[in-house]
Amino acid sequence: MKSITATRSFSLFNTLVYLVLGLLLLIVLLPCLYVLFSSFSTKSEMLSRGFYLIPKVWTLNSYGYLFSNHNFTASYWNALQITVGGTALSISATTLMAYGLSRTWLRGRKPLNFMVLFTMLFSGGIIPTYLLTSQLGLLNSYWSLFLNNAILPFNLIVMRSFFQNTPKELEEAARIDGCGEWNLFFRIILPLSMTSVATFIMFYAVFYWNSYFQAILFISDSQKMPLQVFLRQIILESGNSLESVTDGYEFGPPVKMAVVVMASIPMLVMYPFFQKYFDKGMLVGSVKG
Amino acid sequence: MAVTGSKAADIKTRQRKWEEWKRGLPIYFMILPGLLFFIVFKYVPMGGILIAFQNYDPFDGFLQSSWVGFDHFQRLFQDPDFWKIFRNTLMISALNLFLFFPVPIIVSLLLNEVRLKWFKKGAQTLLYVPHFLSWVVIVSMTVLLFSAQDGGINNLLSTMGYERIELMTNPEYFRMVYLFQVIWKEAGWSAIIFLAALASVDPTLYEAATMDGASRLRQIWHINLPALRSTIIILFILRLGHVMDTGFEHILLLQNSLNIDVSEVFDTYVYRVGILQAEFSYTTAVGLFKALIGLGLVYLANRASRKIGEEGVY
Amino acid sequence: MKKLTALSLSGVLLTTAAIAGCAGGSAVNKNESGKSKAGADDLGEKITINLMTRSYAGGGWPPNHPVIDELNKRLNIDLKIEWVPAANYPEKLNVMAASNNFPDVYYITNTEYVKWQSKNIFMDVKPELSKYPNIVKYIPEESLKHFNPKDKYYGIPFYYQEARDSLAIRKDWLDKLGLKVPETMDDFYNVAKAFATSDPDGNGKQNTVGFSMEISPAGTFGFGGPANFLTSSFGLANNWKLDGGKLIPMQTQSKELKDFIGFMRKAYAEGVLDKDFPILKSRDSLNKLEAGKSGIANVNPQQLYVETLPPLTKLDPKAELVQVLPPVGPTGLRGTRGLPTADKIVINSKIDAKKQQRILKLMDYMLSDEGYDLVKHGIEGVHYKKTADERYEQLEASVKDRQFLLVGWFFKRFDPMFLIYKWMDPKETATIKAYFDNNAKYVTKNEGFGFVSETAIKVGPNIDKKWMDTMVKVIVGQEPMESIDKAIAEWKAGGGDAIIKEINEEYQKSK
C-alpha cells in the first residue's frame, strides 16, 4: 500500500515539475524564436506583419551585411580576445582571494571582507577611474579593461561563501597528512570546487562579453572595439534621428535581430561545456565514494 | 616551542596570535593580488566621491574645483518630485526583492528535480538565452504584442470581442510589465548560482531520505533548501545594497508620459538631469545618497543574519 | 543592386543640374580654383592629424580606407580618425577634459561647446578664415556666429539640414478614396480621418492610423511625425518666438497651446491620431508609413528612395508618395519647425600653429569642389566610374567602403543634398531637390536660437519634460484642458521664468 501511494504522489510531483517547466520554456522560447527567425526576414515583412515565427520570404541579407562589415568582424574577434583574456585573469584573482577570505580562522578577515563589500556600493565614478587608467598608461590597451575589472565584488563574495561550504573533514585530513596551505588549495579544495569555478568562469565570460562602456572610454583605436559597441550602435536608435546619417543599407529591424543572434551564439555555445558541473553532487559524491 | 605553560597568559595569547599570523602567511599571499587590485583600482579612485561636495569642473580638476558643501544634496531633497521618485524606486525594489528574487530559486529547485537528462540540459540552456537579449529587443517585442493600436495580442482580444489592454501606457500595468520582463530575462540566468549551490549536496543524503520514506517535497524542504540557505541569505543582502538601483536602461525604455508618475526612479532622473547635462557633481551626489541607503540596509541585514547563525557578507 | 548599377538616363543636362544642386547651385568655375589652392600652399612637411568624431550604426572606417589614403596624399598629412559612438560621445569628451587630452580636431556637442568656451581650449578661427575661401563660401556667417562671443569663432558649425523632413502622403490612398492632397488644417484632418476609418489599403480591416507622431525625450512634439508641421499652423513658436521685441517660449503660449492641444485631443478621441503615440520613439512613425500602416508621415527626402520607398513598394507595388506642404491653420499660418545647427567642429588651441593651419587647410579642402567630390563620392575608378560623357555608375566598393562617412559624420557644406550622389537617377534627384526647395519656403525659425541660459542647461530638460508629460495627458484625455495653464505655471515656477529672463538678456546683448 505504502509503496503505491509513494509512486502515485511521485508521479504527480513529476507531472507538476514537467508541466511548470514546460510552460516556462514555452514563454521563453516563443519570443526567442521570433528574434531568430525574424533575422532571416525582410524589413518590410518585419515592419508590417507583427509577431510571427515563420517568415514568408527567407533571406540571408542581414547576415550578409554583417559579415561584409569590417567593423563587425573585427569587433567580434576583439570581443573574443577580451573575453578569454579577461576571464582568465579575473577567475584566477577571484578564486585565490575568495579562497583566502573563506578561511574563517584567518586574522584580519573581517575588515578585508568589509573592504570588498564597500566597493560594491561606493565607487569614484568614471572620471577618477579614467584618470587612474590614463596615469597607469593603460589607455588604448585591453589591460585597461582587465585590470579595472579583475575582481567583481559580487562574484568574490558569493564564491567565498561557496568555498566556506566545502566539507571541513577533508581539509583536516589533508592537514594531518602535512599538506601545506597552497598544496591544500590546489590539490584538494580546487578540484572539489570545480562547480563554483565553472560558475564564475561563466559569470566573468558573460560580463566581459557584454561590456562596452569602458571600452568606449578607454580604447581610442576604433579597430579595437568589442562587439557590444557595434551591437549597441545598431540596435539603439540614436537619441535624435536628425543627427544620425545612415546610408542605403537597411539598418532595419532584421539587421538588429541578426546582430543580437550573432552576439548570443558564443555564450550559448559555451554553456553546455559548463553544464556538467551542475550535476547533482557530482564532485563531493565522487570523492567521498 | 621553548616557551611553555609557566609564562604569563598575555605572552601565551601573543604567541597564539603570532602563530595564527604565521599560519595565515600563505593565505595572505593568495589574497595579495586581489587586495592590490582593490586598493589601486577601487580605493584610489574613490577620492572622486568628494566631487559630490564640489562644483566639479573637469578643467579645474579635484583640487581647484570650488567646494559647495551639501548644496547638491539640498537640490536633490528639495526637488518637488523627490518623494515621488523615492517611493517609485522603493516600490520597484520591493518587487525585485520579494517577487523576482524567489523565482530563480524555484526554477533551480524545479530543474534539480528533473530526471530526464536531455530535458534538464535543454531547459537550462533555453532559460539562459533571454539573458543575452538587450532590453531594447525585449521592450520592442512587448510593444509588438501589446501596443494599443495593433499589438498582436490586442488584435486577438479585439477580434474576440474584448477590450484592448493598454499595457504600455496605463500606469497601473507598469510595475507588472517591469516585473514580468525582469523575470523573463533573468530568472534562468540567476538560477545558475543556485544550481551550482545545489550541485554540492551530498547524494547520499537523498538516498538516506528516500529509505526513510521522505517524499520529494520533504526532501526539497529538508535537504535542498538548507543547502541553499547561506547562498540565499548572501544574495539577498547584496541585493539590499542595490536597493536604489533599478536598472536604468530598462525603465527608460518603458517610460512614457502617461506612466511617468510611477516610472520615474532615481536612475532615470539622474540620467536626464545629471548625465545628459554632464553634471558630474550632482550625479555623484545622488549616487552617494543611494549608496548610503544601500549601506544602511546591508548593515542591518548583516546583523540580522548573524543573529540567525549565518555569517553574512562580512 | 539595380539602383547601384543604374545608369543616368537623361544625359548631360540633368546630371549637371544635379551636381549644381549638390554644390548649392554654383559649381561653375570652382573646380580649378579649389585645385590650385591646394597645390599652392606650402605642404612640404608631413603632419599627423588626430581627428575625433561621432559614429552611428555600422561604425567608422578602418585606418587604411581609400578616402583617408587619398586625403593623406593630397594634403601631405597622416590622418588618424577616432570614431566614438554617438550615444556616449559626451562622456568621452568629459573624460578627455578631465585629463586635458584632446585630439587635434574634433566634433563637439553643443552643451560642452557652450560650457568650455572660456577654457581656452578651442582655437579662435575667425582671424584665419580669410585664408580659407571655401570655408567662407560654404559656411554661412550667421551660423558661425551662433553660440560664440562677439568677434570670436571658437568652432566651425557642423551642418544639419535646417528643414530636413517633409510631410508626405500616400497618393494612391488619396486617389482610392477620391480625396485631394490636403491644403488646410481641415483638409488634413478629414484626410487623416478617412485614412483611419475608410480602409484605404483595401484589406477589409480597420488597421490603419490617420497620423502618428513621437514625443521626443527633450520635450518637443517629436522630431519625426507630422506634429513638426502642425504646431506652426496654430501659431506655436518653434521653441522661441519674437513678440514685441521680447522672446517668448512655446511652453507659455497658452492660447496657441490650447488650440493645438485641443486639435490633437479631438484627433485622439476620434481615432485619427495613433493611439500608440505616447510610446513611439525616434523613427517609429516613419516605420508605420513604410509598413503601410499609416498614410501620412515625415520623410527624409534624402532617404526617400533608399530607405522609405523600397519596403513600401515591396508591400504594395502601387504605393506612391507625394509631398504635402504644411497645412494652413485657422488663422492662415503654416510652417515647418526648423532645426538649425548647434554642434561644432573645433580645433585644439594647444597644438602648434602649423598643424592648426594644416587642419584648416584640410577642412577647407573638404569643402572645395575637388575635395567635396572626394569625400562625398569617393575615388573615381574605385567607388564609381564614368561610363559615358557625364554619366556615372556606382561601384560595389562604395557599398562596402561607405565613402561618405566624413561628410555624414564630420564636416560638410551647408548643402541639404549632401547625400545625393552624382550616380543617382536624375529624376529622383530632381524630386528630392523639389522637396528641399519647398521645405525651405516654410521654415519657422527658432528666434531664440544661439542664446545661452545657465538655468536652461541645469533645469531645462527636466521642466520641459514635465510640461510635455502634461500635454500628452491632456491629449489622451487623462487630464482636462485646464491642466495646460497649470503646466505653464509649473514650468515657469520651476525655472522657466529665469530662462525667459536670461535668454532675453542674451538677446538684448546681441543687438
Side-chain angles (χ1 to χ4, degrees):
Chain A
M1 272 308 268
K2 203 180 176 189
S3 72
I4 292 171
T5 42
T7 352
R8 194 179 295 152
S9 74
F10 185 81
S11 64
L12 180 74
F13 181 84
N14 259 353
T15 327
L16 253 166
V17 166
Y18 285 100
L19 208 70
V20 173
L21 275 176
L23 197 71
L24 266 176
L25 284 179
L26 200 69
I27 295 171
V28 164
L29 188 63
L30 286 177
C32 292
L33 284 179
Y34 170 77
V35 172
L36 178 66
F37 286 134
S38 57
S39 72
F40 295 102
S41 344
T42 55
K43 179 180 175 183
S44 54
E45 184 170 3
M46 255 190 100
L47 283 177
S48 59
R49 232 185 119 188
F51 189 90
Y52 60 92
L53 287 182
I54 310 299
K56 283 183 195 141
V57 188
W58 291 77
T59 167
L60 283 171
N61 276 352
S62 305
Y63 292 93
Y65 160 69
L66 284 183
F67 283 101
S68 72
N69 186 309
H70 160 86
N71 290 316
F72 173 76
T73 44
S75 67
Y76 211 93
W77 174 235
N78 294 340
L80 287 172
Q81 285 177 287
I82 292 170
T83 303
V84 171
T87 305
L89 182 91
S90 290
I91 196 69
S92 317
T94 309
T95 309
L96 278 175
M97 190 169 184
Y99 174 71
L101 292 178
S102 74
R103 306 295 85 190
T104 39
W105 48 265
L106 192 76
R107 294 213 141 251
R109 177 169 170 274
K110 241 189 118 169
L112 284 171
N113 279 339
F114 184 78
M115 188 196 89
V116 170
L117 172 87
F118 193 77
T119 62
M120 235 182 125
L121 302 171
F122 295 87
S123 85
I126 60 168
I127 288 186
T129 309
Y130 179 86
L131 291 177
L132 175 77
T133 311
S134 148
Q135 228 120 70
L136 293 174
L138 299 175
L139 287 186
N140 209 20
S141 143
Y142 289 153
W143 286 102
S144 64
L145 310 177
F146 301 160
L147 291 178
N148 269 300
N149 303 298
I151 296 178
L152 297 181
F154 175 88
N155 291 1
L156 179 72
I157 293 169
V158 179
M159 200 174 191
R160 187 190 76 207
S161 87
F162 279 8
F163 276 125
Q164 246 157 285
N165 288 345
T166 46
K168 301 274 176 299
E169 307 88 13
L170 277 166
E171 204 184 314
E172 269 145 33
R175 198 159 279 126
I176 291 165
D177 289 350
C179 211
E181 290 296 336
W182 283 84
N183 264 331
L184 174 69
F185 173 65
F186 279 110
R187 297 255 171 90
I188 303 198
I189 306 287
L190 200 58
L192 271 180
S193 309
M194 282 321 283
T195 303
S196 92
V197 173
T199 308
F200 290 101
I201 286 181
M202 270 173 44
F203 272 54
Y204 275 119
V206 170
F207 166 81
Y208 279 107
W209 184 256
N210 282 342
S211 65
Y212 68 93
F213 185 63
Q214 289 189 337
I216 292 175
L217 286 191
F218 298 151
I219 308 285
S220 54
D221 182 349
S222 318
Q223 294 304 296
K224 285 184 170 175
M225 288 295 174
L227 179 66
Q228 293 294 324
V229 174
F230 181 86
L231 176 135
R232 292 178 66 85
Q233 284 200 296
I234 287 208
I235 65 169
L236 295 181
E237 305 277 353
S238 77
N240 182 345
S241 60
L242 271 180
E243 296 161 31
S244 153
V245 176
T246 56
D247 47 59
Y249 286 116
E250 288 190 17
F251 284 113
V255 177
K256 294 182 184 183
M257 296 306 182
V259 71
V260 169
V261 170
M262 288 305 299
S264 314
I265 285 177
M267 295 297 109
L268 300 187
V269 169
M270 170 185 87
Y271 195 42
F273 291 100
F274 291 94
Q275 255 176 356
K276 63 173 182 214
Y277 295 107
F278 300 132
D279 278 349
K280 199 182 291 176
M282 185 194 99
L283 285 154
V284 179
S286 67
V287 170
K288 282 208 163 175
Chain B
M1 295 295 137
V3 191
T4 40
S6 60
K7 296 290 175 190
D10 63 316
I11 296 181
K12 218 171 174 180
T13 42
R14 205 183 299 160
Q15 194 196 353
R16 211 191 63 230
K17 272 188 189 166
W18 171 242
E19 287 290 325
E20 276 176 2
W21 283 108
K22 218 170 76 177
R23 184 181 162 206
L25 206 60
I27 303 286
Y28 293 121
F29 273 112
M30 289 182 188
I31 291 175
L32 191 66
L35 186 65
L36 280 176
F37 158 76
F38 277 103
I39 291 171
V40 175
F41 288 94
K42 295 284 172 183
Y43 280 93
V44 167
M46 214 172 269
I49 288 178
L50 289 179
I51 71 175
F53 306 96
Q54 291 186 321
N55 254 337
Y56 176 74
D57 181 322
F59 292 97
D60 298 340
F62 303 108
L63 298 177
Q64 256 82 52
S65 290
S66 55
W67 293 89
V68 297
F70 287 89
D71 278 11
H72 296 295
F73 295 90
Q74 232 171 32
R75 178 176 163 199
L76 172 67
F77 299 139
Q78 280 168 1
D79 192 295
D81 288 338
F82 175 78
W83 287 108
K84 187 174 87 186
I85 297 171
F86 195 71
R87 188 196 68 211
N88 289 342
T89 309
L90 282 183
M91 278 302 289
I92 287 175
S93 277
L95 291 180
N96 275 330
L97 278 168
F98 301 112
L99 295 178
F100 168 72
F101 190 79
V103 177
I105 301 173
I106 295 168
V107 168
S108 70
L109 289 173
L110 282 172
L111 282 170
N112 201 44
E113 293 304 319
V114 173
R115 295 286 180 266
L116 291 170
K117 266 231 155 85
W118 64 267
F119 185 85
K120 187 177 176 184
K121 288 207 158 163
Q124 258 184 57
T125 314
L126 269 173
L127 290 174
Y128 157 96
V129 176
H131 181 69
F132 297 95
L133 302 184
S134 315
W135 283 121
V136 189
V137 175
I138 293 168
V139 172
S140 63
M141 280 196 290
T142 315
V143 171
L144 201 64
L145 290 169
F146 290 99
S147 83
Q149 192 75 43
D150 55 11
I153 291 192
N154 266 331
N155 287 348
L156 204 70
L157 285 176
S158 95
T159 49
M160 294 193 313
Y162 292 99
E163 285 269 317
R164 287 169 178 269
I165 315 171
E166 296 189 340
L167 200 70
M168 308 304 289
T169 48
N170 190 334
E172 280 170 34
Y173 295 129
F174 169 77
R175 288 178 185 132
M176 196 185 85
V177 173
Y178 170 88
L179 178 69
F180 186 80
Q181 287 175 337
V182 172
I183 291 176
W184 189 83
K185 185 172 193 270
E186 303 296 355
W189 166 253
S190 308
I192 290 177
I193 287 193
F194 300 109
L195 280 171
L198 283 174
S200 68
V201 173
D202 184 348
T204 53
L205 287 177
Y206 295 113
E207 284 157 28
T210 318
M211 295 245 251
D212 291 349
S215 72
R216 300 266 296 273
L217 267 175
R218 290 188 72 86
Q219 289 184 22
I220 291 178
W221 186 255
H222 289 291
I223 302 173
N224 291 348
L225 273 178
L228 290 180
R229 182 179 145 122
S230 63
T231 310
I232 291 175
I233 289 176
I234 283 188
L235 290 183
F236 192 82
I237 298 177
L238 292 181
R239 233 169 205 286
L240 274 178
H242 288 296
V243 78
M244 293 282 113
D245 302 328
T246 43
F248 129 85
E249 213 170 274
H250 182 198
I251 295 197
L252 201 68
L253 286 162
L254 285 177
Q255 196 171 70
N256 57 56
S257 299
L258 301 178
N259 65 21
I260 189 86
D261 291 328
V262 291
S263 65
E264 183 82 320
V265 291
F266 282 111
D267 290 339
T268 53
Y269 169 79
V270 159
Y271 173 73
R272 195 169 56 247
V273 178
I275 297 177
L276 286 182
Q277 303 302 309
E279 286 209 44
F280 289 101
S281 286
Y282 192 53
T283 312
T284 311
V286 180
L288 191 56
F289 165 72
K290 284 165 54 183
L292 282 170
I293 291 193
L295 186 66
L297 287 174
V298 167
Y299 173 77
L300 291 177
N302 210 49
R303 270 183 51 166
S305 82
R306 280 168 180 277
K307 284 242 168 73
I308 58 168
E310 284 286 334
E311 203 210 0
V313 291
Y314 63 87
Chain C
M1 274 305 119
K2 241 182 218 162
K3 194 167 295 128
L4 299 184
T5 47
L7 304 181
S8 62
L9 298 169
S10 323
V12 185
L13 261 176
L14 270 171
T15 317
T16 29
I19 294 171
C22 309
S26 52
V28 204
N29 282 337
K30 282 292 160 290
N31 242 324
E32 290 78 37
S33 79
K35 208 174 258 169
S36 63
K37 262 279 162 201
D41 254 14
D42 154 42
L43 294 176
E45 190 188 341
K46 191 175 181 108
I47 294 181
T48 302
I49 294 174
N50 289 305
L51 184 159
M52 182 173 83
T53 192
R54 309 199 292 184
S55 68
Y56 294 89
W61 289 338
N64 54 353
H65 191 275
V67 172
I68 298 182
D69 289 345
E70 196 62 29
L71 283 171
N72 285 345
K73 218 163 39 193
R74 295 194 194 177
L75 292 150
N76 197 21
I77 51 174
D78 183 8
L79 186 60
K80 294 191 155 65
I81 307 180
E82 184 175 350
W83 308 90
V84 179
N88 301 99
Y89 203 78
E91 282 128 335
K92 182 91 184 182
L93 282 174
N94 276 286
V95 292
M96 285 182 153
S99 60
N100 216 334
N101 181 19
F102 285 105
D104 300 325
V105 53
Y106 53 101
Y107 178 99
I108 187 164
T109 34
N110 186 258
T111 315
E112 276 71 24
Y113 183 72
V114 170
K115 273 193 199 166
W116 296 348
Q117 260 176 32
S118 55
K119 305 291 178 190
N120 200 22
I121 55 165
F122 308 142
M123 173 193 179
D124 175 18
V125 297
K126 193 170 187 202
E128 314 295 329
L129 282 188
S130 58
K131 285 184 255 168
Y132 300 99
N134 292 303
I135 297 181
V136 174
K137 180 165 176 197
Y138 291 107
I139 308 290
E141 205 184 344
E142 184 204 15
S143 188
L144 277 162
K145 280 184 182 160
H146 280 315
F147 299 104
N148 275 315
K150 260 198 174 130
D151 299 323
K152 302 262 191 217
Y153 296 161
Y154 283 123
I156 304 177
F158 172 87
Y159 173 68
Y160 300 136
Q161 295 132 311
E162 183 168 10
R164 187 191 73 175
D165 289 0
S166 172
L167 209 50
I169 197 162
R170 280 286 289 270
K171 179 80 169 42
D172 53 318
W173 285 13
L174 284 175
D175 293 345
K176 186 157 180 287
L177 302 175
L179 295 162
K180 282 196 315 230
V181 177
E183 177 66 25
T184 67
M185 212 55 183
D186 289 340
D187 297 345
F188 179 86
Y189 192 85
N190 292 335
V191 166
K193 190 163 186 179
F195 279 4
T197 54
S198 307
D199 190 24
D201 58 352
N203 67 354
K205 282 185 268 181
Q206 254 205 39
N207 59 347
T208 45
V209 297
F211 69 100
S212 192
M213 70 161 178
E214 299 96 3
I215 303 298
S216 94
T220 53
F221 288 102
F223 27 75
N228 250 350
F229 302 91
L230 306 182
T231 51
S232 299
S233 311
F234 293 94
L236 271 176
N238 176 9
N239 221 344
W240 293 91
K241 169 181 194 164
L242 253 184
D243 193 10
K246 267 199 77 175
L247 284 167
I248 45 173
M250 155 189 88
Q251 280 86 354
T252 61
Q253 287 181 283
S254 170
K255 189 197 166 296
E256 290 88 343
L257 271 173
K258 281 176 194 152
D259 291 347
F260 173 67
I261 300 291
F263 171 85
M264 297 301 262
R265 188 174 155 110
K266 179 168 164 244
Y268 185 87
E270 295 184 353
V272 177
L273 173 60
D274 188 352
K275 288 261 183 279
D276 282 336
F277 88 90
I279 61 167
L280 300 187
K281 303 220 153 71
S282 61
R283 129 186 246 294
D284 284 348
S285 70
L286 186 57
N287 283 343
K288 291 205 174 194
L289 180 86
E290 288 168 1
K293 287 177 183 166
S294 90
I296 306 171
N298 295 6
V299 295
N300 172 0
Q302 283 201 111
Q303 287 170 349
L304 191 59
Y305 291 100
V306 281
E307 269 198 22
T308 301
L309 280 169
L312 189 54
T313 45
K314 215 184 272 175
L315 214 64
D316 180 357
K318 292 195 303 285
E320 190 191 345
L321 285 174
V322 293
Q323 186 176 24
V324 182
L325 300 176
V328 182
T331 54
L333 292 168
R334 67 188 332 187
T336 302
R337 286 210 308 264
L339 182 81
T341 300
D343 295 351
K344 305 270 181 184
I345 309 295
V346 293
I347 299 173
N348 195 331
S349 67
K350 303 273 158 58
I351 55 175
D352 68 55
K354 232 192 242 159
K355 194 184 251 192
Q356 291 177 336
Q357 296 301 328
R358 190 67 63 86
I359 291 168
L360 282 165
K361 168 129 259 148
L362 167 69
M363 292 175 74
D364 188 67
Y365 181 71
M366 285 174 69
L367 301 188
S368 73
D369 289 335
E370 182 192 298
Y372 195 51
D373 186 57
L374 169 66
V375 288
K376 182 171 164 182
H377 295 112
I379 297 155
E380 188 166 354
V382 178
H383 300 117
Y384 63 92
K385 66 178 184 199
K386 215 176 210 165
T387 50
D389 232 18
E390 295 298 323
R391 288 184 183 183
Y392 296 94
E393 182 187 343
Q394 185 179 15
L395 296 174
E396 199 63 48
S398 142
V399 180
K400 200 167 176 302
D401 282 349
R402 297 189 298 156
Q403 82 293 334
F404 61 89
L405 289 190
L406 272 181
V407 169
W409 298 347
F410 178 62
F411 189 52
K412 55 179 147 306
R413 289 178 180 176
F414 274 54
D415 165 18
M417 308 274 283
F418 64 83
L419 284 185
I420 304 306
Y421 306 114
K422 54 188 177 191
W423 54 71
M424 285 182 168
D425 181 343
K427 263 205 316 235
E428 293 180 358
T429 308
T431 311
I432 294 164
K433 178 134 191 347
Y435 266 90
F436 279 124
D437 289 346
N438 280 329
N439 282 355
K441 285 181 208 155
Y442 298 101
V443 177
T444 309
K445 286 223 181 274
N446 175 0
E447 285 167 296
F449 188 79
F451 302 124
V452 183
S453 147
E454 284 283 327
T455 314
I457 293 174
K458 222 171 176 181
V459 304
N462 207 28
I463 57 173
D464 287 357
K465 169 102 189 5
K466 275 159 84 173
W467 176 91
M468 180 53 90
D469 291 338
T470 310
M471 296 304 139
V472 173
K473 285 177 188 165
V474 177
I475 292 175
V476 303
Q478 256 180 32
E479 290 199 22
M481 290 293 283
E482 291 78 58
S483 292
I484 293 176
D485 282 325
K486 223 172 69 200
I488 294 174
E490 273 169 25
W491 185 85
K492 288 171 82 170
D497 278 330
I499 295 174
I500 295 174
K501 192 167 149 270
E502 289 164 24
I503 291 284
N504 272 296
E505 278 167 13
E506 286 270 308
Y507 169 68
Q508 292 304 334
K509 259 192 270 171
S510 77
K511 278 204 294 191

